[in-house]
Amino acid sequence: MPSDRRSVVARGALWILILGSGYDRPPSWRADAIGQRYRALMLLATFSSLRWGELGALRRCDIDQEARTVRVVRQLAEVRGGGFAFGPPKSRAGMRVVPIPEVIVPVLQWHLSCFALPGDEGLVFTSPSGRPLHHSNFRRRYWLAALKTAGLTDLHFHDLRHTGNTLAATAGATLRELMDRMGHDSERAALIYLHGSDARQQAIADTLSQLARDELAQGSGGKRGRAARKSSARNGHGGGVRLRSTGLAVRLYGH
């Protein structure tokens, strides 16, 4: 599936799997498709743009609830043949502090009180037995089951990170800010998300249309408008009106 399509699907899946009415409150009274244990994992994967290994390595001391930030200083890797190992992020840029939206903080706080291991070094996300998250087990036991419950297919956990990056770009994040959030040294990956969505591009076009109409209405009234029309007629432009906004000249023909 193309990456832009996956972003749209992942965004819709997020609402179906973990959100809905009351999503900003502890979900003890609700049965979400993903389940209560991994609801905060899904939200943080999206709105912090952390990788799977970075999420699996988070400790209580890495989350500053007051500042609403998540500190990434290590990642969890699965060792061939079984077992786990904690190590540094993929690159120096991976060592970062990522702000998180206030709206997901209550769910994260609720998760810390119910599921995270105790102590500052306690892992935030674990299996029900308290072991580090195993990607294939999570996918088989929870992710695929949640997709089936929600009636969704062809969606990967990593698509949530992609969706978060897209949302950050739509919110106005610059190239440098996207790189910082994503933990990338190269601009190449971040540039993908600066290609505006179709809806955003249409909104920009609609705004430009309205600005043009406003300028045209102002330019068509009174002596200034009549003078502009006469000048255009003399120059052979058939009644076009020249619009001057922020130093740019735009010529509209007709109405």
Side-chain angles (χ1 to χ4, degrees), residues 1-73:
M1 182 185 295
S3 60
D4 56 344
R5 171 62 179 157
R6 273 191 174 156
S7 177
V8 173
V9 173
R11 194 179 309 187
L14 188 67
W15 314 147
I16 294 171
L17 292 172
I18 52 177
L19 300 182
S21 60
Y23 75 89
D24 57 340
R25 295 191 295 272
S28 56
W29 55 278
R30 303 180 64 234
D32 300 297
I34 193 62
Q36 297 176 13
R37 171 175 283 275
Y38 299 116
R39 196 165 183 247
L41 175 71
M42 294 273 288
L43 285 170
L44 205 56
T46 303
F47 292 106
S48 70
S49 297
L50 266 63
R51 302 175 179 90
W52 170 264
E54 295 168 345
L55 290 162
L58 286 180
R59 302 158 296 181
R60 285 180 178 269
C61 61
D62 296 322
I63 297 178
D64 188 329
Q65 298 182 51
E66 184 175 348
R68 300 198 305 274
T69 60
V70 175
R71 181 184 57 165
V72 181
V73 294

Side-chain angles (χ1 to χ4, degrees), residues 222-244:
K223 295 181 180 179
R224 181 181 176 185
R226 288 193 294 272
R229 287 192 293 273
K230 289 179 181 179
S231 175
S232 295
R234 285 196 301 270
N235 292 327
H237 296 303
V241 177
R242 183 177 294 274
L243 309 182
R244 299 186 183 276

